[in-house]
């Protein structure tokens, strides 16, 4: 591959991208050689439906995360269209107040918990092992368990709507609204569903962290780890620290509802504000739990299409980690109107201003990368630029909330709804679409219709801004959030009409986007290994990747291993090294945490139904608990413990390898 120097001492990038994208990368073809057939035999999975139920392959699980999260996004989007139709004109009667409360509560809960975070988990599951140069996740069976629990918890939560028992106190479930004035069963679904989901998020986070720390390709020191991997690892650590307060709050809420304890009942010595503290201890870090991986996607897309390494890499990584840390000191800015002391509010106002600085660093790094590069306009890049525009607008309004008097004026107004969607919809969905268009050839082995993709971006971008920007003005005119209708003559009608029209345009944009993906699958335009001339290791694999990912684990020589003319040839150099090929057993390479020195092969488990059994047993225990069948729930939980014990005891792949090593 022909390259040229950017500046003395800087990395290089490919000059002739078309040559790089002509088909199978030469280095991978040579490295594959005779080892490919043996690796396919070793890593082969069960075919058919049995393989579907028993797979532990990180790529299949990653795709399932993406598809399942997309399905829940579709359901939540339909709920949003119903709500916007209800608010499209004054005194409308499309749905009743009770139905509207259930729709907007389940919509918010689904978007936050069952779409945004799991969607990022899908990208992390699929691409983190590829980016760090390994063959699978550190704990493949745990990875399968996290997906099955996510699926069953989402189905459990959505089942509440047709049963007429959906949550109806908002996605935030504020007490005393949630424990005294709302549907008891709906909030029990909420508390148990989120506790159930937390198991998936916790085990998934541990798996991602260990994979990134212990399974990086040799030579991939911490200074050579892609920004996307840093973002996923930071998100995973944040989940481990943010979920316990939410779990405690949901346990307390369920006990108040079911067993009449008094944790949040002031007459019984409880404290209603305690719920807000516990909830927002999770809720505000969760904004960045959602946004940081999305920013990592942007940091992958922009360098590729700017034909230049990302500017200020070290500062971008520091900004990513700093955002994760600072976000835990900002939660009270959601509570400026509840009567806390001025001293407490001043500290959290300062933290709210401070957290905008790391995001600003990343914004300037992306702009500098494009400014000094040779930009190639693609659909993925358009979505990345669309993210920058929408997230800056959301960030500006977010900084406004740090001004306590202003925050108290717009609290519980549609101004907050507008800000929230600019940050989380514009800040998460736009990058996710950028990632889908960018990595689609790698995930499916098929190319997309670029012109149709660009049209889909235009419709989505216009629809998004037409939907949510007028909400700022409606909020400043006094329109409160969480209302299902309003009277004429208040000055809100025109802005609601625009928002409702925009929501239908946005829905059409998503249908067009879906059509682009479906057309790609049907037409079967096969994609080469590296269609974009990318710079990170996932583009060194086949499209789609083989079950074993890399025929030979490479040695990484720079932050941009596909552009340095050393990392890819290392696969050829090590093609006869048994430690790098591992063709005899189901193994992956283990390396040291800091400098990625080789420690030796590590046994990996093959397909197994045990994660599915454990997830089903846990689902039964939650369903029985919801139904009030406490004995049956205890028995089901005992089954969970028994399956977990069998899981730890029965490790045939590991035992076989250890016996041979002994």
């Amino acid at each position: 591959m022909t390259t040229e120097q950017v500046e003395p001492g800087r990395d290089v990038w490919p000059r002739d991208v078309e040559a790089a994208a002509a088909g199978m990368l030469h280095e991978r073809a040579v490295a594959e050689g005779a080892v490919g057939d043996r690796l396919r035999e070793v890593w082969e999975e069960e075919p058919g439906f049995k393989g579907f139920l028993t797979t532990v392959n990180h790529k299949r699980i990653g795709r399932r995360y993406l598809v399942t999260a997309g399905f829940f996004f579709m359901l939540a989007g339909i709920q949003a269209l119903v709500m916007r139709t209800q608010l499209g004109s004054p005194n409308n009667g499309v749905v009743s107040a009770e139905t509207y409360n259930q729709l907007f509560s389940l919509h918010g809960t689904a978007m936050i918990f069952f779409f945004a975070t799991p969607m990022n988990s899908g990208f992390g599951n699929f691409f983190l092992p590829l980016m760090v140069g390994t063959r699978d996740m550190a704990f493949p069976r745990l990875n399968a368990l996290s997906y099955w629990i996510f699926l069953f918890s989402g189905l459990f939560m959505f089942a509440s709507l047709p049963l007429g028992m959906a949550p109806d106190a908002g996605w935030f479930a504020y007490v005393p609204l949630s424990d005294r004035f709302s549907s008891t069963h709906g909030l029990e679904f909420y508390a148990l569903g989120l506790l159930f989901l937390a198991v998936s998020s916790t085990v998934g986070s541990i798996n991602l962290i260990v994979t990134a720390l212990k399974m990086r390709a040799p030579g991939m020191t911490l200074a050579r780890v892609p920004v996307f991997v840093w973002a996923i690892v930071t998100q995973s650590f944040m989940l481990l620290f943010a979920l316990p307060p939410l779990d405690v709050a949901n346990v307390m809420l369920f006990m108040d509802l079911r067993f009449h304890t008094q944790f949040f009942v002031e007459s019984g010595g409880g404290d209603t504000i305690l719920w807000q503290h516990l909830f927002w201890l999770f809720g505000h870090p969760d904004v960045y739990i959602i946004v940081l991986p999305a920013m990592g996607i942007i940091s992958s897309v922009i360098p590729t299409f700017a034909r230049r390494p990302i500017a200020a890499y070290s500062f971008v990584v520091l900004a990513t980690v700093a955002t994760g840390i600072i976000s835990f000191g900002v939660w009270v800015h959601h509570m400026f109107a509840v009567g806390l002391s001025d001293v407490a509010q001043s500290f959290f106002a300062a933290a709210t201003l401070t957290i905008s600085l790391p995001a600003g660093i990343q914004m300037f790094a992306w702009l500098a990368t494009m400014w000094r590069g040779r930009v190639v306009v693609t659909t993925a890049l358009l979505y990345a630029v669309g993210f920058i525009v929408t997230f800056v607008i959301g960030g500006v309004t977010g900084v406004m909330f740090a001004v306590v008097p202003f925050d108290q004026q717009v609290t519980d107004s549609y101004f907050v709804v507008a800000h929230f969607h600019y940050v989380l919809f514009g800040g998460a969905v736009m990058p996710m679409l950028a990632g889908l268009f960018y990595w689609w050839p790698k995930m499916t082995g098929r190319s997309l219709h670029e012109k149709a993709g660009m049209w889909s971006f235009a419709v989505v971008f216009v629809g998004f801004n037409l939907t949510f920007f007028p909400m700022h003005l409606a909020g400043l005119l006094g329109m409160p959030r969480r209302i299902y209708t309003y009277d004429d003559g208040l000055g809100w009608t025109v802005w609601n009409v625009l928002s409702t029209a925009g929501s239908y345009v946005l829905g059409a944009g998503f249908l067009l986007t879906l059509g682009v993906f479906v057309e790609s699958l049907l037409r079967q335009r096969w994609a080469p290994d590296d269609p974009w001339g990318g710079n990170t290791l996932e583009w060194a694999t086949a499209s789609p990747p083989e079950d074993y990912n890399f025929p030979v684990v490479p040695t990484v020589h720079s932050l941009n291993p596909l552009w340095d003319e050393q990392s890819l040839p290392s696969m050829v150099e090590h093609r006869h090294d048994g430690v790098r090929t591992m063709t005899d057993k189901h193994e992956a390479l283990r390396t040291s945490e800091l400098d990625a020195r080789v420690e030796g092969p590590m046994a990996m488990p093959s397909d197994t139904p045990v994660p599915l059994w454990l997830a089903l047993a846990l689902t039964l225990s939650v369903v029985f608990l919801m139904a009030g069948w406490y004995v049956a729930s205890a028995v089901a939980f005992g089954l969970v413990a028994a399956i977990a014990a069998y899981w730890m005891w029965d490790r045939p792949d590991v035992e076989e390898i250890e016996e041979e090593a002994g």
Side-chain angles (χ1 to χ4, degrees), residues 156-407:
F156 174 82
M157 184 69 79
F158 272 95
S160 64
L161 189 60
L163 293 175
M165 293 186 283
D168 57 357
W171 76 278
F172 38 79
Y174 282 162
V175 295
L177 176 64
S178 60
D179 64 349
R180 275 179 276 175
F181 304 109
S182 292
S183 165
T184 299
H185 292 303
L187 271 298
E188 288 175 349
F189 264 106
Y190 174 92
L192 289 179
L194 294 190
L195 284 168
F196 192 16
L197 179 65
V199 178
S200 168
S201 301
T202 300
V203 300
S205 297
I206 293 170
N207 207 355
L208 289 164
I209 290 170
V210 176
T211 302
L213 290 179
K214 291 299 299 178
M215 302 184 72
R216 301 195 308 277
M220 185 176 283
T221 63
L222 294 182
R224 296 172 180 172
V225 174
V227 176
F228 177 78
V229 176
W230 278 107
I232 290 291
V233 171
T234 303
Q235 177 211 35
S236 299
F237 274 110
M238 292 174 69
L239 278 168
L240 293 181
F241 286 101
L243 281 172
L246 180 67
D247 294 341
V248 169
N250 279 313
V251 169
M252 290 179 173
L253 178 61
F254 183 77
M255 293 180 70
D256 275 6
L257 294 169
R258 182 62 66 90
F259 303 112
H260 308 293
T261 54
Q262 308 288 307
F263 291 110
F264 303 120
V265 180
E266 291 184 353
S267 61
D271 185 359
T272 57
I273 301 301
L274 175 62
W275 169 269
Q276 293 193 38
H277 280 294
L278 291 172
F279 182 84
W280 290 116
L281 263 170
F282 162 83
H284 196 82
D286 188 58
V287 172
Y288 299 98
I289 286 169
I290 293 170
V291 169
L292 281 179
M295 290 180 163
I297 293 173
I298 300 303
S299 294
S300 298
V301 171
I302 286 180
T304 295
F305 296 114
R307 306 300 180 219
R308 164 181 215 292
I310 190 168
Y313 165 81
S314 299
F315 287 100
V316 172
V317 171
L318 288 173
T320 299
V321 177
T323 299
I325 295 172
I326 298 171
S327 68
F328 282 90
V330 186
W331 83 89
V332 171
H333 88 210
H334 294 271
M335 303 168 60
F336 283 162
V338 303
L340 300 180
S341 70
D342 292 339
V343 174
Q345 290 180 345
S346 65
F347 279 108
F348 286 95
T352 303
L353 293 170
T354 303
I355 202 168
S356 63
L357 299 178
I361 291 172
Q362 296 188 68
M363 293 289 174
F364 282 112
W366 297 326
L367 293 175
T369 303
M370 290 188 288
W371 182 264
R372 301 191 63 186
R374 300 196 301 270
V375 175
V376 177
V377 179
T378 64
T379 306
L381 184 71
L382 288 176
Y383 273 112
V385 173
F387 156 77
I388 293 175
V389 173
T390 56
F391 194 74
V392 166
I393 295 174
V396 169
T397 56
V399 171
M400 294 166 67
F401 290 128
V403 182
V404 177
F406 176 82
D407 182 275

Side-chain angles (χ1 to χ4, degrees), residues 503-564:
S503 68
Y504 281 95
V505 174
L506 183 58
F510 282 120
L511 285 176
L512 179 57
T513 303
L514 180 62
V516 173
F517 293 135
V518 171
E519 187 270 347
S520 171
L521 295 175
L522 295 178
R523 288 297 180 93
Q524 297 187 357
R525 292 183 299 271
W526 300 107
D529 288 350
D530 185 15
W532 310 124
N535 62 326
T536 43
L537 279 179
E538 75 271 23
W539 299 108
T541 63
S543 295
E546 300 278 3
D547 291 337
Y548 50 84
N549 292 346
F550 298 90
V552 180
V553 177
T555 297
V556 174
H557 290 83
S558 73
L559 178 61
N560 304 284
L562 264 70
W563 294 355
D564 60 20

Side-chain angles (χ1 to χ4, degrees), residues 216-222 591-598:
R216 301 195 308 277
M220 185 176 283
T221 63
L222 294 182
T591 56
S592 59
E593 294 86 348
L594 297 180
D595 52 4
R597 295 183 182 274
V598 175

